[in-house]
Amino acid sequence: MVKSVIGDENQLKLAEHRLTRSSIPSQIGLVIGKLNSKLDRGFVYDLVPTPPNDAGEQPCLVIDGAADFSKTKKKTSSKPKSQSDSSALFIDQDWVFEHARQVSRMLLGGMKVVGVYVWVSESLFKNSTITLCQTVIGVAQAASTMMDDLNERLLLHISYSPLRWTCRNCSLAANITSSSLWPCDFKTGKILGSLQTFRCMYNFDVRLPIPHGDGLDSKRFSDVIRNEIMVHAKELKGVKALIDGKLVVGDDLSVSDDFHEVEFLLPFMQDKYLEACSQKEVLGVLLLRGSVCSLAYLNSKEPVSQALVDIKEDIIRSLQSRLAIICDEAERDIESMTGGDQGTNSHISSEEPVTNFDLQAQRKQCNLSFPRRVLVPWLEGTYICDYIQSTETLEVLKEHCVELMSVEFPTDTSEILEPESEAPTVIASSTAKTFWSAATDHSSAAKPDSSVSKVRKTGKGRPATSADYVLMLTIFVLIIAIVVFYFMGV
């Protein structure tokens, strides 16, 4: 359990200054940071306010006879005490949850949505404890990852009457009571400036056979990819890694510089799918290949092994986010074409997006290109990320950064990094291209940008191609000819 929390002094001062000058009675937002159960410590990097909803309404309102904010500060008695005590908060929880889901996609390794902050008076906070706990739990679910095993989040209360910061640990248990909150020791210090950066260009090439009949648990294109990402996450969890060319064994490796390169020592390709299937049982094969540029940030108090955990989680979270973006866009396209009523518009099934295809019903090759990850400057040398489609430009990032993260978008676009030369792709090949030819096609994934990664690919382990055999035969014939010519001359 997290018992102490330290927040970045500069960012929390800026947040306090913004709130005290706003003259608003309430505000809710997300706490960006990190929780480390091994250290029993949490880190808060920034507070991101939840923006107004699509109708322009604030996500957090004071209800039931709350006094005016300015009058509350002056401690006036214009309202009876009983009416003030009955005041509570209304929170648009669905909107806050959606904000958490969107923001979690933009965070890199070692940075997460770790809770909720609220700007209200002491009495309002006490009257709204259950509502706030429910909001924290909903935010945790919206921003969760498959590798996240923590059962706690933070509830940060900034009181304006009097001005005071308090932090509480909120249990994610199903039964919510006032005892679900435990106080944490809260203080501020220099955090962001001391973070170490770890970078990895991860290349992957995954093949999944598409069997006949009921051999496939999920038939939809997107469901199969989602399941395969989960399987890949389990395989990635146990792999070894090099940091700056040195093998990481436990926490023995000592690092002191601000920037480090990470390379995973992946096992040789396992033919488990080839062994489990025969050509008669397989309709086709699903290929998921590409490169993911991953960044992770490590606090000086954390062991170096935590950086590897954060990078692995960031890779999987990035793949999940890209798939979710594609599925969200597909659903919006369907709604716009059907007018919100899919049941009465079956005639447009030919326009069905790739993500909804039934793999067992497909008889032709399908291609799905993931969005590319783009890195945008954030706080004190750190970055956040966003994703753009092949047809989009960097202009689409501005709205996301300003609205979701409340940060200024850089005017100089050269500060925005595009380390992924090509986006990850998914190819579903039917029996038109036989399973064996697709499964044994070892075309390399997209080459990483040399300015972002030092991962080097060698020719070792590369299967021989027909061109290789022709070259070897030519050299062999040439050698025989030279030997024969030599003995004939003698």
Side-chain angles (χ1 to χ4, degrees), residues 82 202 213 254 340 347 411 436 459 486:
S82 59
Y202 177 70
S254 176
H347 64 279
T411 55
W436 300 111
Y486 174 78

Side-chain angles (χ1 to χ4, degrees), residues 205-231:
D205 196 332
V206 180
R207 291 164 175 76
L208 179 66
I210 306 170
H212 280 284
D214 297 328
L216 197 62
D217 294 336
S218 300
K219 295 183 179 181
R220 282 206 320 168
F221 200 5
S222 57
D223 293 336
V224 174
I225 300 171
R226 188 176 292 107
N227 292 339
E228 184 58 28
I229 291 175
M230 294 178 66
V231 172

